[in-house]
Amino acid sequence: MGRRIALEKKVQAHGREISDELRRFFRERGIYVVNLIGSPGGGKTRLLEALAPRLRGHTAVIEGDLQTDRDKQRIERAGLRAYQINTQGACHLDAAMVRRAVDEFSLDGIRLLFIENVGNLVCPAGFEIGEDVKVAVVSITEGEDKPAKYPKALFVSAAMVLTKMDLLPYVECDVERMKREALEIKPSLRVFETSATADRGLDPFLDWIEASAAQRR
């Protein structure tokens, strides 16, 4: 058991080293990195598609999925450069995967990089991959109990984006409870109510990202 614990700590430490290396790489090039975490079907890709017209020319996306490049294709059709990472069963991206992607994916001219993590509210919360911030993407169709059930995902995130708000008349979801419980976990959390379909709440979210990036620079 002692050996297993020591090995896990060694692997985690190595991952943090690579993450720090990536963070230095991005900052030297003036690239602000947003790590999107959330459940499968929570609306991460759709959010990026809706933001794409506002981001073309200076933004790229790294897509993480177990299999297929379908999300990459969607992002490219929306007009953004994209790179696909298939984890072959791993439930999250790690820093080594992102470093390999960066070695193969040109980021010339890029100021903003979104990394769409594997669909999961558990594993991605525990790993840094060189990002400046994590953002938890949570759909109202998942139910208002998600913040309380997955507190770490909220605690490690700088913002929570509530998606599919246009569906509120058709689903049972106490949005105020959702926001209240999320802020109990992390009082400084920024909360954005969005609908990619109705083009709602996207500008405040993007304004926050741009302000955060400017503050870091």
Side-chain angles (χ1 to χ4, degrees):
M1 184 63 69
R3 290 181 179 178
R4 179 178 178 181
I5 292 172
L7 178 60
E8 287 177 351
K9 288 183 177 179
K10 184 176 181 179
V11 170
Q12 290 171 353
H14 183 57
R16 285 193 294 271
E17 289 177 4
I18 299 174
S19 179
D20 290 342
E21 174 189 318
L22 282 168
R23 195 169 284 116
R24 288 192 295 272
F25 172 88
F26 292 133
R27 291 187 176 183
E28 287 170 0
R29 289 157 181 77
I31 301 172
Y32 192 75
V33 183
V34 180
N35 180 5
L36 295 180
I37 63 175
S39 302
K44 299 184 297 298
T45 309
R46 184 70 188 92
L47 176 68
L48 292 173
E49 287 177 316
L51 289 171
R54 300 163 168 84
L55 299 173
R56 290 172 187 153
H58 68 274
T59 301
V61 179
I62 292 176
E63 285 287 344
D65 274 305
L66 273 70
Q67 298 287 348
T68 84
D69 66 347
R70 292 178 182 176
D71 286 352
K72 171 181 178 288
Q73 293 179 42
R74 287 173 59 182
I75 294 301
E76 289 177 335
R77 284 196 295 269
L80 300 180
R81 292 166 50 197
Y83 182 93
Q84 184 69 52
I85 299 175
N86 289 132
T87 65
Q88 307 298 327
C91 61
H92 62 89
L93 296 177
D94 63 33
M97 294 176 188
V98 175
R99 183 171 63 180
R100 287 193 295 270
V102 168
D103 286 343
E104 298 177 4
F105 184 44
S106 173
L107 294 173
D108 292 345
I110 295 300
R111 293 191 291 109
L112 177 60
L113 176 66
F114 285 96
I115 302 176
E116 183 181 343
N117 221 307
V118 178
N120 191 321
L121 268 175
V122 182
C123 302
F127 293 83
E128 292 189 5
I129 51 176
E131 74 272 24
D132 288 288
V133 290
K134 285 185 176 71
V135 171
V137 179
V138 184
S139 166
I140 64 165
T141 60
E142 298 176 70
E144 67 268 7
D145 59 355
K146 285 299 172 289
K149 282 187 172 183
Y150 301 95
K152 185 173 183 179
L154 279 298
F155 185 75
V156 300
S157 295
M160 176 176 72
V161 177
L162 297 178
T163 61
K164 308 183 185 182
M165 288 296 297
D166 55 297
L167 297 179
L168 190 57
Y170 312 106
V171 299
E172 292 186 9
C173 181
D174 187 339
V175 173
E176 293 307 311
R177 175 187 169 189
M178 213 173 183
K179 294 191 291 185
R180 183 176 66 253
E181 292 187 346
L183 291 171
E184 287 172 356
I185 294 164
K186 187 171 186 177
S188 64
L189 191 74
R190 296 294 302 269
V191 179
F192 299 92
E193 300 179 20
T194 70
S195 166
T197 301
D199 196 19
R200 172 182 169 186
L202 302 179
D203 286 331
F205 174 53
L206 187 55
D207 289 345
W208 171 77
I209 290 175
E210 292 178 343
S212 300
Q215 186 177 25
R216 193 210 67 187
R217 297 188 187 104

